[in-house]
């Protein structure tokens, strides 16, 4: 009995190792990519900063002192002040919260909607696929920023509406990606076997096809966050996103464009924050794609 228990434990351990090994191997491969680790470090840094902003920001993002407007960076104001005498360092910190919030939740919304539409189109095919695919094609026919502007123009300029617009314009990217994955997965033998035994479509979709389509969604989602942050900044710069006095990075750039020569620091630091955040997500996304995309391993 003791020998049988020992053998059973060995078998269970081997099974567990086989189950966890793909993700463990993916993490090990990811750690070998130095640029991907740099991107991960940048992303973690900005997330950490966004969480602890109220604890480390020396001033409130609304605090004004007109007697100190357009001051150069100093020990009192590390990033200088803007045209209302507000501390740029504090506003950049609070802006990290806003940009990451817009990036994460807009991509989450577009990923959920796009994944659902992509699964339905790829699995059922025929007229369902034709209708959904044509909707995607129409949306992709417009430049993304113009489509976002159109959505915000209909809903009204605000940060929340900018988030909705960004989520809407990214739906086709996820939808087409998931659709192509479903078209290949549904031809697998285990899917045909599930149909043969009478398994319902809902169970097949959400218990078999969706789990096998998660990998490209993760990669696309990481890269899409970087794009969403840029789009939110663009809408803010055009005055169609966050409204004053919200310290959104794109809005800060728009408010400071008149002081490019007189006070270049008012544009430099928000622009640097956008660049570093987008760079971090792009590097991390490229690393995930190299690790999780089978075609990159060939």
């Amino acid at each position: 009995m003791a020998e049988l228990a020992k053998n059973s434990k060995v078998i269970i351990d081997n099974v567990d190792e086989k189950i966890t090994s793909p993700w463990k191997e993916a993490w090990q491969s990811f750690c070998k990519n130095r640029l991907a680790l740099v991107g991960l470090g940048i992303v973690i840094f900005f997330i950490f900063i966004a969480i602890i902003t109220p604890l480390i920001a020396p001033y409130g993002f609304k605090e004004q002192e007109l007697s100190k407007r357009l001051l150069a960076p100093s020990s009192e104001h590390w990033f200088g002040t803007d045209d209302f005498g507000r501390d740029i360092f504090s506003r950049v910190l609070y802006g990290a919260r806003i940009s990451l919030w817009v990036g994460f939740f807009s991509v989450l919304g577009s990923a959920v909607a796009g994944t659902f539409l992509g699964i339905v189109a790829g699995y059922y095919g025929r007229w369902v696929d034709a209708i959904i695919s044509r909707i995607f094609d129409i949306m992709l026919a417009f430049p993304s920023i113009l489509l976002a502007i159109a959505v915000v123009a209909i809903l009204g300029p605000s940060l929340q509406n900018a988030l909705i617009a960004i989520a809407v314009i990214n739906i086709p990217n996820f939808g087409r990606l998931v659709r192509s994955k479903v078209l290949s997965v549904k031809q697998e033998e285990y899917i045909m076997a599930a149909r043969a035994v009478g398994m319902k479509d809902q169970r097949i979709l959400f218990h078999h096809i969706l789990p096998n389509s998660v990998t490209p969604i993760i990669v696309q989602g990481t890269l899409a966050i970087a794009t969403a942050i840029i789009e939110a900044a663009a809408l803010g710069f055009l005055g169609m996103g966050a409204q004053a006095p919200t310290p959104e990075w794109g809005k800060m750039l728009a408010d400071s464009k008149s002081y490019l020569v007189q006070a270049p620091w008012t544009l430099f630091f928000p622009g640097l924050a956008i660049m570093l955040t987008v760079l971090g997500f792009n590097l991390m996304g490229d690393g995930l794609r190299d690790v999780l995309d089978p075609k990159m391993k060939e």
Side-chain angles (χ1 to χ4, degrees):
M1 290 296 293
E3 186 67 23
L4 179 60
K6 182 178 179 181
N7 292 336
S8 300
K9 185 178 185 301
V10 171
I11 294 174
I12 293 173
D13 290 341
N14 290 335
V15 171
D16 290 340
E17 183 178 354
K18 290 181 180 180
I19 292 175
T20 59
S21 60
W23 290 105
K24 184 177 180 180
E25 290 177 2
W27 171 247
Q28 292 174 345
S29 299
F30 182 85
C31 291
K32 294 178 182 178
N33 189 329
R34 293 184 179 179
L35 289 178
L37 289 178
V38 170
L40 177 62
I42 294 173
V43 170
I44 292 175
F45 171 76
F46 275 98
I47 292 175
F48 178 72
I49 287 296
I51 293 173
I52 66 171
T53 288
L55 301 177
I56 63 175
Y59 301 92
F61 67 87
K62 293 182 180 180
E63 290 184 27
Q64 302 180 15
E65 193 170 351
L66 295 178
S67 61
K68 295 183 177 181
R69 64 190 303 270
L70 300 179
L71 291 180
S74 63
S75 58
E76 183 179 2
H77 300 283
W78 290 0
F79 290 178
T81 60
D82 61 10
D83 54 323
F84 286 99
R86 296 173 296 198
D87 183 66
I88 295 177
F89 177 68
S90 299
R91 288 177 62 79
V92 169
L93 293 180
Y94 280 100
R97 284 186 153 192
I98 295 171
S99 293
L100 291 175
W101 177 75
V102 171
F104 280 119
F105 284 97
S106 63
V107 169
L108 178 62
S110 57
V112 171
T115 299
F116 175 77
L117 293 174
I119 286 179
V120 171
Y123 185 77
Y124 290 104
R126 299 185 179 181
W127 63 270
V128 176
D129 184 20
I131 292 175
I132 295 176
S133 296
R134 294 300 77 76
I135 293 175
F136 289 163
D137 291 340
I138 292 172
M139 295 177 68
L140 291 172
F142 295 92
S144 59
I145 188 63
L146 292 182
L147 186 58
I149 290 173
V151 174
V152 174
I154 294 172
L155 300 177
S158 70
L159 184 62
Q160 289 76 15
N161 292 339
L163 187 153
I164 295 173
I166 295 169
V168 169
I169 65 176
N170 283 307
I171 288 176
N173 297 326
F174 285 94
R176 296 183 69 177
L177 179 68
V178 174
R179 173 185 174 274
S180 63
K181 184 68 176 179
V182 172
L183 288 175
S184 62
V185 171
K186 76 175 186 178
Q187 302 300 327
E188 298 290 339
E189 293 181 357
Y190 66 90
I191 299 297
M192 296 181 181
R195 289 174 176 172
V197 298
M199 187 176 294
K200 295 182 179 180
D201 289 346
Q202 183 178 358
R203 183 173 178 82
I204 294 175
L205 287 173
F206 294 101
H207 287 78
H208 296 288
I209 292 181
L210 180 59
N212 286 282
S213 305
V214 168
T215 298
I217 297 174
I218 294 174
V219 176
Q220 177 63 28
T222 305
L223 295 171
I225 292 175
T227 304
I229 291 174
I230 293 178
E231 290 166 345
L235 290 174
F237 185 83
L238 296 173
M240 306 193 74
Q243 302 299 303
T246 305
E248 194 273 325
W249 291 335
K251 179 62 176 172
M252 292 175 67
L253 290 177
D255 294 340
S256 304
K257 64 181 183 294
S258 301
Y259 308 100
L260 178 59
V261 177
Q262 181 183 359
W265 56 85
T266 59
L267 288 91
F268 176 77
F269 290 108
L272 181 64
I274 295 173
M275 185 201 74
L276 289 176
T277 307
V278 172
L279 177 64
F281 278 105
N282 280 334
L283 291 177
M284 187 174 69
D286 288 341
L288 288 174
R289 182 182 58 192
D290 294 342
V291 170
L292 299 177
D293 189 351
K295 295 180 181 178
M296 302 298 293
K297 299 179 182 179
E298 296 177 355

